[in-house]
């Protein structure tokens, strides 16, 4: 029996009775415009508006790329990129905003500017004080599984039993969050597709997601497969802009296997996919 959940953030309680779509909003310097701050914020607002119209439930704002080969950017640059965008979205729309960061200073500023969820791809490994921010501000907290440090995240030697490793590491992350006073209702877990896993292990985690749902029955699961390279690998090395069908297939399977929140680039297509999966699911009873 699947339990309906609610996710406690600093601004509301988000119901998880139906699957939610988290729309990805990357805020990186715009190489096509003159790079002015106004252009960046304006583009981000338009993108957010489109995703909301398409049915996004949460907007995930990120200023630092964690893709393979990316370098860390200075803290001030990360804050400078995301803060104006978060402020502008929070002022214009009543939609939960999450900040994709693994730095507590960014998390705190973002929360002050209106972000109500902190999405930490390091699961508190890079900066444990993220948990202090989540506890103090009452934000939602996504603890994602990853391996290695920022530079070595995508080149980790594979482990034998990825499921066991994810379970053990997420348990540790929950314990760390709890020790700072973060409550269970604030915490959402994520297997971290593409972070320190082989392509086959990414597939295995999606296939066996139901085991993690059972294991962590107190916490909703978020999954992000959108346009990731393991999809391209199966599809004859399709580039990121040819991975939509693959992304939708994995979103459908993740939902079927118990994921509650899907983090995606293509919101309208994902919303339609999830509606169909939910309809089939509902006909089982
Ligand atoms: C994820 C993320 C993910 C969560 C990124 C990309 C890489 N946050 N941030 N889960 N991936 N929670 O989007 O390709 O899978 S950045």
């Amino acid at each position: 029996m699947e339990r309906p959940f609610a996710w406690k953030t600093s601004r509301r309680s988000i119901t998880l009775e139906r699957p939610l779509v988290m729309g990805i909003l990357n805020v990186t310097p715009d190489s096509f415009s003159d790079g002015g701050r106004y252009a960046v914020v304006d583009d981000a607002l338009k993108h957010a508006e489109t995703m909301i119209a398409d049915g996004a439930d949460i907007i995930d704002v990120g200023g630092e790329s964690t893709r393979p080969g990316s370098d860390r950017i200075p803290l001030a640059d990360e804050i400078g990129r995301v803060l104006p965008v978060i402020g502008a979205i929070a002022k214009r729309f009543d939609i939960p905003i999450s900040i994709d960061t693994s730095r507590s200073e960014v998390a705190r500023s973002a929360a002050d500017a209106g972000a109500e969820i902190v999405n930490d791809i390091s699961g508190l490994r890079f900066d444990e004080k993220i948990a202090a921010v989540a506890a103090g501000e009452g934000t939602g907290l996504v603890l994602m599984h990853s391996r290695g440090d920022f530079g070595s995240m995508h080149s980790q030697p594979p482990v034998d039993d990825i499921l066991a490793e994810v379970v053990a590491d997420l348990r540790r992350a929950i314990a760390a969050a709890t020790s700072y006073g973060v409550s269970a209702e604030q915490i959402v877990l994520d297997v971290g597709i593409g972070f320190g896993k082989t392509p086959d292990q990414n597939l295995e985690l999606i296939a066996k997601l139901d085991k993690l749902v059972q294991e962590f029955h107190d916490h909703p699961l978020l999954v992000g497969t959108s346009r990731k390279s393991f999809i391209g690998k199966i599809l004859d090395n399709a580039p990121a802009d040819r991975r939509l069908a693959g992304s939708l297939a994995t979103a459908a399977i993740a939902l079927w296997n118990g994921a509650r929140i899907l983090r995606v680039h293509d919101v309208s297509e994902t919303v339609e996919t999830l509606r169909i999966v939910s309809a089939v699911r509902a006909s089982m009873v």
Side-chain angles (χ1 to χ4, degrees):
M1 178 63 198
E2 286 184 8
R3 295 204 292 133
F5 277 113
W7 187 10
K8 188 90 184 49
T9 77
S10 46
R11 298 200 162 193
R12 73 199 88 203
S13 179
I14 304 173
T15 176
L16 295 169
E17 278 159 16
R18 61 172 182 81
L20 301 189
V21 170
M22 175 186 265
I24 300 169
L25 185 58
N26 288 322
V27 190
T28 43
D30 185 351
S31 52
F32 297 105
S33 72
D34 59 4
R37 173 165 292 185
Y38 174 77
V40 172
V41 174
D42 199 46
D43 285 356
L45 263 182
K46 284 197 187 110
H47 190 185
E49 184 171 21
T50 304
M51 290 198 287
I52 292 166
D54 287 346
D57 301 287
I58 299 166
I59 302 292
D60 188 40
V61 178
E64 183 178 59
S65 177
T66 47
R67 289 189 163 278
S70 302
D71 287 326
R72 286 225 92 152
I73 59 167
L75 175 64
D77 288 7
E78 191 184 348
I79 292 179
R81 281 181 195 176
V82 296
L83 233 57
V85 169
I86 289 169
I89 297 172
K91 194 169 151 204
R92 181 87 72 89
F93 307 105
D94 181 29
I95 186 159
I97 300 168
S98 74
I99 171 67
D100 187 340
T101 191
S102 42
R103 286 167 162 157
S104 58
E105 299 90 341
V106 179
R108 178 165 289 112
S109 313
D112 289 344
E116 59 193 87
I117 295 161
V118 180
N119 173 24
D120 178 11
I121 57 110
S122 83
L124 302 178
R125 291 181 308 109
F126 295 173
D127 182 355
E128 212 180 61
K129 292 196 188 69
I130 289 237
V133 175
E137 309 269 349
T139 64
L141 178 62
V142 179
L143 297 174
M144 196 198 83
H145 180 266
S146 54
R147 303 174 58 237
D149 61 21
F150 197 90
S152 67
M153 221 160 26
H154 297 288
S155 55
Q156 287 294 299
V159 286
D160 282 347
D161 187 345
I162 191 65
L163 203 66
E165 167 126 339
V166 167
V167 168
D169 290 348
L170 287 179
R171 284 253 169 263
R172 248 198 304 278
I174 295 169
T178 307
S179 76
Y180 279 86
V182 179
S183 69
E185 309 86 70
Q186 288 170 265
I187 299 173
V188 162
L189 303 176
D190 187 334
V191 295
I193 295 296
F195 287 81
K197 286 104 184 166
T198 65
D200 282 348
Q201 287 176 333
N202 290 316
L203 300 175
E204 182 185 348
L205 285 171
I206 296 166
K208 296 180 180 169
L209 207 66
D210 57 324
K211 305 258 187 303
L212 291 161
V213 172
Q214 276 176 25
E215 180 76 31
F216 294 107
H217 47 81
D218 287 340
H219 301 283
L221 251 60
L222 188 160
V223 175
T225 58
S226 188
R227 301 184 189 173
K228 285 187 176 168
S229 62
F230 75 101
I231 294 171
K233 187 148 191 293
I234 295 173
L235 302 178
D236 307 318
N237 296 319
D241 65 357
R242 298 291 307 276
R243 296 176 191 162
L244 173 58
S247 301
L248 297 176
T250 53
I253 297 166
L255 179 63
W256 190 266
N257 283 343
R260 299 302 187 102
I261 308 164
L262 283 305
R263 180 183 179 276
V264 305
H265 299 89
D266 302 287
V267 173
S268 63
E269 294 89 343
T270 305
V271 167
E272 288 190 347
T273 301
L274 300 187
R275 283 173 65 188
I276 299 299
V277 174
S278 297
V280 175
R281 190 91 191 168
S283 75
M284 279 179 82
V285 288

